Amino acid sequence: MLASPSYSRAASRFPPALHSSGNVFTGFIPIRRVTGAQVCTRRSTLKVTCRRARERVIEEESSQMAETNKQSFKVSSGEKSPLGVSQVDKGINFALFSHNATSVTLCLSLPQSDKEDDVDVVELVLDPSINKTGDTWHICVEDLPLRNVLYGYRVDGSGEWNQGHRFDRSILLLDPYAKLVKGRSFFGDSSQKFAQFYGTYDFETSPFDWGDDYKFPNIPEKDLVIYEMNVRAFTADESSGIDPSIAGSYLALIEKIPHLLDLGINAVELLPVFEFDELELQRRPNPRDHMVNTWGYSTVNFFAPMSRYASGEGDPIKASKEFKEMVKALHSAGIEVILDVVYNHTNEADDKYPYTTSFRGIDNKIYYMLDPNNQLLNYSGCGNTLNCNHPVVMELILDSLKHWVTEYHVDGFRFDLASVLCRDTDGSPLSAPPLIRAIAKDSVLSRCKIIAEPWDCGGLYLVGKFPNWDRWAEWNGMYRDDVRRFIKGDCGMKGSFATRVSGSSDLYQVNQRKPYHGVNFIIAHDGFTLRDLVTYNSKHNEANGEGGNDGCNDNYSWNCGSEGETGDAHIKSLRVRQMKNFHLALMISQGTPMMLMGDEYGHSRYGNNNSYGHDTALNNFQWKELDTKKESHFRFFSELIKFRHSHHVLKHENFLSKGEITWHEDNWDNSESKFLAFTLHDGVNGQDVYAAFNAHDYFVKALIPLPPSGKQWFRVADTNLESPDDFVKEGVAGVAEAYNVASFSSILLKSM
């Protein structure tokens, strides 16, 4: 079991703890407790410890003020709201919720000079009779600097472990409502693996200038094409050509916006960008201690942007500003910003190897789900489960979401393992979860896209059944599975494939839900990349250190004849064709399409379908490889996305009626049939779209229906052809009454 984390000198202004007989272990240096009255509103007395790091202990009682060795400040009882840190008329207010705590100490580190050893550390012990209202502890400190103050809390309580409490006053705890977090200085720096996370604030810098002509893209959901991406991995590789001082940062992403526009997507879904602990796997010896959590599903705080995604040295104030610059630039380009948010668990691990940094030490019984034996429940697969429908935690999540909308102007959220958010405080499923309803009904969040990953690691699978109030969209996991199986040639999948490409009405045609409430995807960050989907039958996760036991086994993949990379020209050609087939199916399906970063050039992770822990080329976008595919694979992908944008029959607001689609099929009951063709009718302009998919291993002669009156068919795409003939945006005339559709290929026609 881990002890409290060590403090890294490189990442901390707080001196390391020492043990000495007769002294209280504080996590700073040994001190003698000062006796006397608690803080009061008349400021008659103050229990305070102020000291110069590594030099001496200063103890002082004052009826008016407390003094550090370089400055003085006054304190008062403070206000209970808002939680976190706020600037008030009297100074800086600190407020912390804890129902079960009996003792709270505010710890401040005050900036004094550029010298690392020249630090003032102040501890203010809050008096519950003065500094507590209900379950909120609070204090106001006057004359504090308006920025660059680091702070944390020590929290103690009378409850024991077997009662569900995890109090340990030796640990400095991060404020759950800290709007800025100071962690380690550089991403993945293993010399700082035990770096402390501190809250900080900035009431000095002028508000961010969004510009007079700034506006939100406000893209209708039916028009979205989502690009799932990782901020760091997008530009971290040397091949990006980005200055090393900003590579992997928010600012670096701005430099690559032209690529996103060239591709044609209009929304980015960013893997977690809340402050997270990328070195969580290295805290103790274990088979995965060589890895760096580059995906970010290890949330430390729900309000602060990831500080190590700032340019240069990780700085929370700079990270906040540069995140806004990124959002502003993306919005200026007409691209919306959706955040992948992780409210199902935190970085604080399990009860076997606990890592207390915040919630656990502040009020474990409130913030986490516990079993009847007061042990942590684990519906997240990560050791703990946030108690999302507890009123206090629900308010925290809502406050966090609204903060990202109002402060950072994000356009929506994708909720990781969202079925956890549908569980009661004891873990039982709820049919009408209060949190899910509150998010759907909140006025601040009303303009946002809200997308659920409708399952969790406890088996609560809610695809098509997620509580939604006609607002929530869902990752359509059944779309992924059914399309994969049909395209690779599984028997009996034609009917399911037809249902998926036509909008999954079996799942979403309920109440006022729309086709776009189903987010269609074939590939996502977890699982195979598109190239690996057609290259590997089995996962190859040996590099993860778990003997290949991690990652999903049900991938519905097909290696096209040989496992892994091959020189066989036929197999390589088939794989290229299959990737184009998948992308064509995705882009002509009703619903909201989502693709994964790197699939536009065929990125490979060499069969690793769970690559969360590799801060390497395994995950990093390979820009030189993109260059080699710019006129072939990339061109096909980008042109198809743009074709979707320009053809409204591919993105209906409502579910298709009989007059809007014709299935050219009389063989539905034949499980051996692997060919499907249909026409989407444009009743306004007569610009019909015909698509045919052949998953047989032989040619199929497709009879082409008559085009609308006065029109003729033009071939737009044939995945069996080489580039540039595989996609011709203006179309190729001369389509006959029949078309030989090659094995494992698809075609796209339009009438003009």
mmCIF file of all heavy atoms in Angstrom, residues 1 40 100 148 204 227 391 402 418-419 448 498 609 696:
data_model
loop_
_atom_site.group_PDB
_atom_site.id
_atom_site.type_symbol
_atom_site.label_atom_id
_atom_site.label_comp_id
_atom_site.label_asym_id
_atom_site.label_seq_id
_atom_site.Cartn_x
_atom_site.Cartn_y
_atom_site.Cartn_z
ATOM 1 N N MET A 1 0.844 -1.192 0.000
ATOM 2 C CA MET A 1 0.000 0.000 0.000
ATOM 3 C C MET A 1 0.878 1.241 0.000
ATOM 4 O O MET A 1 1.867 1.310 0.737
ATOM 5 C CB MET A 1 -0.889 0.001 1.250
ATOM 6 C CG MET A 1 -1.906 1.139 1.276
ATOM 7 S SD MET A 1 -3.014 0.966 2.681
ATOM 8 C CE MET A 1 -3.920 -0.492 2.211
ATOM 9 N N CYS A 40 -11.396 34.101 14.669
ATOM 10 C CA CYS A 40 -12.728 34.635 14.923
ATOM 11 C C CYS A 40 -12.963 35.877 14.080
ATOM 12 O O CYS A 40 -12.033 36.473 13.564
ATOM 13 C CB CYS A 40 -12.919 34.967 16.404
ATOM 14 S SG CYS A 40 -11.965 36.384 16.956
ATOM 15 N N ASN A 100 -18.110 15.296 6.887
ATOM 16 C CA ASN A 100 -17.624 14.422 7.956
ATOM 17 C C ASN A 100 -16.328 14.877 8.607
ATOM 18 O O ASN A 100 -15.865 14.252 9.564
ATOM 19 C CB ASN A 100 -17.439 13.005 7.403
ATOM 20 C CG ASN A 100 -18.765 12.330 7.083
ATOM 21 O OD1 ASN A 100 -19.571 12.091 7.974
ATOM 22 N ND2 ASN A 100 -19.008 12.045 5.802
ATOM 23 N N ASN A 148 -0.273 33.489 -8.133
ATOM 24 C CA ASN A 148 0.942 32.743 -7.782
ATOM 25 C C ASN A 148 1.001 32.297 -6.336
ATOM 26 O O ASN A 148 2.075 32.007 -5.808
ATOM 27 C CB ASN A 148 2.202 33.537 -8.128
ATOM 28 C CG ASN A 148 2.409 33.655 -9.621
ATOM 29 O OD1 ASN A 148 1.971 32.799 -10.383
ATOM 30 N ND2 ASN A 148 3.044 34.732 -10.055
ATOM 31 N N GLU A 204 -5.484 38.733 -11.074
ATOM 32 C CA GLU A 204 -4.728 39.898 -11.503
ATOM 33 C C GLU A 204 -4.786 40.100 -13.020
ATOM 34 O O GLU A 204 -4.902 41.235 -13.497
ATOM 35 C CB GLU A 204 -3.269 39.739 -11.057
ATOM 36 C CG GLU A 204 -2.373 40.908 -11.377
ATOM 37 C CD GLU A 204 -0.974 40.701 -10.811
ATOM 38 O OE1 GLU A 204 -0.156 40.049 -11.490
ATOM 39 O OE2 GLU A 204 -0.723 41.174 -9.687
ATOM 40 N N TYR A 227 -14.307 14.679 -35.108
ATOM 41 C CA TYR A 227 -12.943 14.156 -35.214
ATOM 42 C C TYR A 227 -12.420 13.956 -33.795
ATOM 43 O O TYR A 227 -12.137 14.912 -33.079
ATOM 44 C CB TYR A 227 -12.092 15.169 -35.972
ATOM 45 C CG TYR A 227 -10.659 14.807 -36.286
ATOM 46 C CD1 TYR A 227 -10.336 13.944 -37.321
ATOM 47 C CD2 TYR A 227 -9.606 15.405 -35.582
ATOM 48 C CE1 TYR A 227 -9.018 13.667 -37.647
ATOM 49 C CE2 TYR A 227 -8.285 15.129 -35.903
ATOM 50 C CZ TYR A 227 -7.989 14.255 -36.930
ATOM 51 O OH TYR A 227 -6.672 13.991 -37.265
ATOM 52 N N PRO A 391 -26.334 14.646 -4.029
ATOM 53 C CA PRO A 391 -26.563 16.074 -4.309
ATOM 54 C C PRO A 391 -25.300 16.924 -4.354
ATOM 55 O O PRO A 391 -25.178 17.815 -5.200
ATOM 56 C CB PRO A 391 -27.487 16.507 -3.168
ATOM 57 C CG PRO A 391 -28.214 15.265 -2.783
ATOM 58 C CD PRO A 391 -27.227 14.143 -2.965
ATOM 59 N N LYS A 402 -20.623 23.868 -16.336
ATOM 60 C CA LYS A 402 -20.974 25.260 -16.624
ATOM 61 C C LYS A 402 -19.735 26.147 -16.641
ATOM 62 O O LYS A 402 -19.673 27.117 -17.397
ATOM 63 C CB LYS A 402 -22.006 25.752 -15.615
ATOM 64 C CG LYS A 402 -23.377 25.117 -15.828
ATOM 65 C CD LYS A 402 -24.447 25.672 -14.906
ATOM 66 C CE LYS A 402 -24.356 25.114 -13.510
ATOM 67 N NZ LYS A 402 -25.525 25.511 -12.679
ATOM 68 N N ALA A 418 -20.750 6.821 -19.296
ATOM 69 C CA ALA A 418 -21.855 7.626 -18.767
ATOM 70 C C ALA A 418 -22.888 6.809 -18.008
ATOM 71 O O ALA A 418 -23.691 7.377 -17.253
ATOM 72 C CB ALA A 418 -22.527 8.382 -19.913
ATOM 73 N N SER A 419 -22.885 5.497 -18.173
ATOM 74 C CA SER A 419 -23.835 4.693 -17.395
ATOM 75 C C SER A 419 -23.565 4.796 -15.900
ATOM 76 O O SER A 419 -24.480 4.605 -15.088
ATOM 77 C CB SER A 419 -23.790 3.234 -17.851
ATOM 78 O OG SER A 419 -24.353 3.090 -19.144
ATOM 79 N N CYS A 448 -25.308 23.267 -25.652
ATOM 80 C CA CYS A 448 -24.224 22.290 -25.773
ATOM 81 C C CYS A 448 -24.698 20.964 -26.351
ATOM 82 O O CYS A 448 -25.830 20.525 -26.122
ATOM 83 C CB CYS A 448 -23.593 22.021 -24.404
ATOM 84 S SG CYS A 448 -22.748 23.440 -23.714
ATOM 85 N N ALA A 498 -28.311 -2.482 -42.890
ATOM 86 C CA ALA A 498 -29.294 -1.553 -43.443
ATOM 87 C C ALA A 498 -29.904 -0.684 -42.343
ATOM 88 O O ALA A 498 -30.106 0.526 -42.527
ATOM 89 C CB ALA A 498 -30.386 -2.327 -44.178
ATOM 90 N N ASN A 609 -4.661 -2.675 -29.128
ATOM 91 C CA ASN A 609 -6.000 -2.077 -29.089
ATOM 92 C C ASN A 609 -6.306 -1.425 -27.740
ATOM 93 O O ASN A 609 -7.470 -1.159 -27.411
ATOM 94 C CB ASN A 609 -7.080 -3.109 -29.444
ATOM 95 C CG ASN A 609 -7.330 -4.124 -28.335
ATOM 96 O OD1 ASN A 609 -6.599 -4.206 -27.356
ATOM 97 N ND2 ASN A 609 -8.387 -4.914 -28.500
ATOM 98 N N HIS A 696 -19.250 -9.722 -50.587
ATOM 99 C CA HIS A 696 -18.917 -11.047 -51.111
ATOM 100 C C HIS A 696 -17.472 -11.048 -51.615
ATOM 101 O O HIS A 696 -16.873 -9.997 -51.849
ATOM 102 C CB HIS A 696 -19.840 -11.407 -52.277
ATOM 103 C CG HIS A 696 -21.234 -11.731 -51.871
ATOM 104 N ND1 HIS A 696 -21.566 -12.871 -51.183
ATOM 105 C CD2 HIS A 696 -22.407 -11.046 -52.058
ATOM 106 C CE1 HIS A 696 -22.872 -12.903 -50.974
ATOM 107 N NE2 HIS A 696 -23.402 -11.796 -51.493
#
